[in-house]
Amino acid sequence: MKRWLFLFLFFTLTIHLFSQETHIFTDDIKTLRIAVDGQEQRFPILQMRKGEQLNISFDDLTHDYRRYFYRIEHCTYDFKTSTQLFESEYLTSPSNEEVITNYQQSFNTAILYTHYSFSFPNASMQPLLSGNYRLSILRTSETGEPERVVETYFAIVEPLALVSAIVSANTEVDYRDSHQQVSLNVDASNLQGLDYPQEEIKTYVLQNRRWDNVVQNPPYTSQMGNRFLWEHSKDLIFDAGNEYRKFEMLSTRHATMHIDRLYMLDGIYNAEVMTDKPRNHYLYDEDQNGRFVVRSDDRSNDDIEADYFLTHFTLQMPKLKGKRIFLNGRWTGRSLNPDYELRYNEDTQAYEASVLLKQGYYSYQYLTAPNSTEKANTNETEGNFFQTENEYTVLIYFHNQSERYDRLVGFSQVYSSIQ
């Protein structure tokens, strides 16, 4: 039986844009979390004038207070600084710099850290325009100069463009095999001053929030007034992938889901994830598409009492020629983050990586690519199967000829479900 998924969205996107991904520039910053009104599963987009807030937190792996502050910059649709705007046009703030005053030291943990958190917008800082924003977290270095430690992005949307979409396994590449096709029907009639849609509208489509295979500005296949259609567009065909793998580190005393063993070494907790192997078949699972949740069964305050584990991953498979393998999930920050690359061990005939992770639930996959700036794929590690449940995010930007910035006028995220 075939089931079509009807999606109601707000417009589209294709290219390799890596500047908009989260970057952490120092090893002592861990577990960056961004939620919308406390909901970490939501995409970091706020509706304009709805009173929603971003909740941002991170850990500094010391017990010493350090002065952290953040800055906000408006960006173009492709995440470059909006040079045509003055700061006062897109932000109300005494200065574009706000000190993070909420912090707590970890309690009774093997690895000491300080947990910092803040929310935006707030009484001191309010955005005025829709569009993309860059959020930089900085600290005062030993020389007294500001040092940028985190760069991430969010957006403000004014929902003016409406889109209905369909995800199907029947594609121009194959029929119900290894790909998924996104079709779009966009109603842009509420966009005042839309004269040259090919120039004024920019569209993005993301699969599972990955930016390495994002689709930007696929040409529409037909137009009826201010309604645009993408039907059987080869640009909107995605590798279907497989359901994400997952594990949990909920206790320091016993192994939990997909953990082989726990042990203490040199004063640090270690966790060995069960050995993974490439998949050659579809595996149904209610996965979380890369999400992670900080959680501990042994403690009451996860923010400051959850511990850190040196977490060991093993992917048993022959060495791939000309390819690198990366762990990927929302917790890696970037689709192809070199900090989460696996190295091949000739003795064990497996790819291996060890990364420091805070206790909790982790959803992950293995991606392969020639290098960290190319489009990745799941062919060799996870496989591609049309049944896979994937999250698709659609973004629409509009730049009227009389305006000096790119507005985000549509957003939606939906989940494919093809049986």
Side-chain angles (χ1 to χ4, degrees):
M1 181 183 72
K2 176 172 66 179
R3 188 168 67 196
W4 295 75
L5 174 68
F6 292 89
L7 319 174
F8 295 93
L9 320 172
F10 292 124
F11 220 159
T12 108
L13 119 76
T14 10
I15 81 184
H16 303 298
L17 292 173
F18 288 91
S19 62
Q20 77 303 320
E21 296 186 301
T22 295
H23 292 260
I24 298 177
F25 300 103
T26 178
D27 292 338
D28 54 7
I29 299 296
K30 300 292 183 185
T31 319
L32 177 70
R33 297 153 66 189
I34 302 175
V36 178
D37 284 348
Q39 302 175 58
E40 292 188 48
Q41 74 275 17
R42 288 183 57 179
F43 202 90
I45 288 182
L46 306 176
Q47 291 193 63
M48 202 165 184
R49 292 185 287 273
K50 291 292 185 179
E52 297 178 322
Q53 278 190 314
L54 289 175
N55 314 118
I56 301 105
S57 67
F58 60 92
D59 293 339
D60 176 337
L61 298 187
T62 71
H63 247 199
D64 300 324
Y65 167 77
R66 291 200 262 194
R67 182 181 181 272
Y68 284 96
F69 54 98
Y70 61 94
R71 292 175 180 168
I72 306 294
E73 300 170 273
H74 193 277
C75 295
T76 60
Y77 80 96
D78 54 354
F79 301 91
K80 299 175 182 177
T81 302
S82 297
T83 57
Q84 300 301 310
L85 292 176
F86 293 105
E87 181 184 303
S88 58
E89 294 181 278
Y90 65 81
L91 194 69
T92 60
S93 175
S95 66
N96 189 11
E97 179 179 304
E98 193 71 22
V99 176
I100 302 172
T101 58
N102 189 14
Y103 63 94
Q104 294 176 284
Q105 292 180 328
S106 63
F107 176 73
N108 199 27
T109 56
I111 290 184
L112 302 179
Y113 60 88
T114 303
H115 182 74
Y116 292 81
S117 62
F118 64 97
S119 294
F120 173 89
N122 50 53
S124 300
M125 194 177 284
Q126 294 275 340
L128 299 174
L129 303 178
S130 72
N132 294 331
Y133 285 83
R134 181 186 300 114
L135 189 155
S136 298
I137 299 175
L138 305 95
R139 67 187 177 199
T140 304
S141 67
E142 294 180 356
T143 62
E145 297 298 319
E147 174 190 19
R148 184 178 57 171
V149 296
V150 173
E151 180 180 277
T152 190
Y153 294 83
F154 67 93
I156 309 290
V157 61
E158 44 180 327
L160 297 174
L162 299 174
V163 175
S164 61
I166 297 173
V167 175
S168 170
N170 303 339
T171 74
E172 299 295 309
V173 177
D174 52 44
Y175 179 82
R176 295 177 64 83
D177 188 2
S178 58
H179 295 83
Q180 292 176 350
Q181 173 94 56
V182 178
S183 300
L184 300 173
N185 183 329
V186 176
D187 183 356
S189 55
N190 288 330
L191 296 182
Q192 301 298 318
L194 177 60
D195 298 317
Y196 306 99
Q198 290 183 326
E199 300 176 11
E200 296 172 334
I201 290 180
K202 308 296 183 183
T203 68
Y204 287 159
V205 177
L206 298 90
Q207 182 195 64
N208 298 326
R209 309 193 190 185
R210 284 172 51 191
W211 287 92
D212 65 286
N213 65 348
V214 63
V215 177
Q216 179 186 9
N217 298 329
Y220 46 83
T221 56
S222 61
Q223 177 183 359
M224 296 180 293
N226 281 344
R227 186 182 295 274
F228 306 92
L229 303 177
W230 287 257
E231 295 180 319
H232 308 293
S233 170
K234 291 184 178 181
D235 292 321
L236 291 176
I237 296 175
F238 290 83
D239 289 346
N242 208 334
E243 306 299 351
Y244 279 64
R245 306 170 194 254
K246 59 187 178 183
F247 69 93
E248 288 181 329
M249 299 182 299
L250 304 183
S251 174
T252 59
R253 296 174 297 192
H254 59 269
T256 47
M257 181 178 65
H258 203 55
I259 296 296
D260 189 34
R261 71 185 186 110
L262 304 176
Y263 57 93
M264 176 76 80
L265 181 64
D266 297 329
I268 298 176
Y269 289 110
N270 283 248
E272 292 185 1
V273 179
M274 290 183 178
T275 298
D276 290 317
K277 295 183 179 180
R279 294 169 166 173
N280 56 14
H281 62 280
Y282 172 70
L283 180 65
Y284 171 77
D285 196 3
E286 294 184 1
D287 69 343
Q288 294 293 319
N289 295 320
R291 185 185 175 200
F292 76 103
V293 180
V294 173
R295 192 170 75 229
S296 170
D297 285 347
D298 304 329
R299 311 294 173 84
S300 59
N301 187 337
D302 295 330
D303 287 341
I304 60 172
E305 294 184 271
D307 220 314
Y308 275 86
F309 285 71
L310 188 59
T311 310
H312 306 280
F313 295 84
T314 302
L315 178 62
Q316 193 84 50
M317 66 179 297
K319 187 175 183 179
L320 298 176
K321 293 183 178 180
K323 292 287 186 72
R324 297 163 65 182
I325 297 184
F326 300 83
L327 282 164
N328 172 251
R330 298 179 197 173
W331 46 279
T332 64
R334 290 181 273 165
S335 298
L336 303 174
N337 189 337
D339 293 337
Y340 295 89
E341 182 177 358
L342 290 87
R343 308 293 179 179
Y344 198 73
N345 186 329
E346 297 287 354
D347 295 332
T348 61
Q349 296 288 288
Y351 285 90
E352 299 173 349
S354 298
V355 295
L356 197 63
L357 299 176
K358 201 171 186 177
Q359 280 182 275
Y361 166 94
Y362 287 82
S363 175
Y364 69 104
Q365 64 179 350
Y366 296 102
L367 297 179
T368 66
N371 55 61
S372 61
T373 60
E374 296 290 333
K375 178 180 177 180
N377 67 71
T378 55
N379 294 336
E380 297 96 340
T381 53
E382 309 293 351
N384 290 294
F385 305 94
F386 74 90
Q387 307 97 317
T388 303
E389 179 270 328
N390 288 304
E391 174 190 293
Y392 288 93
T393 302
V394 180
L395 306 170
I396 312 167
Y397 298 89
F398 174 54
H399 190 139
N400 185 273
Q401 299 294 319
S402 63
E403 296 177 323
R404 292 177 289 115
Y405 71 102
D406 298 326
R407 301 158 62 188
L408 178 59
V409 295
F411 159 77
S412 185
Q413 59 186 110
V414 296
Y415 298 87
S416 64
S417 180
I418 303 169
Q419 302 294 325

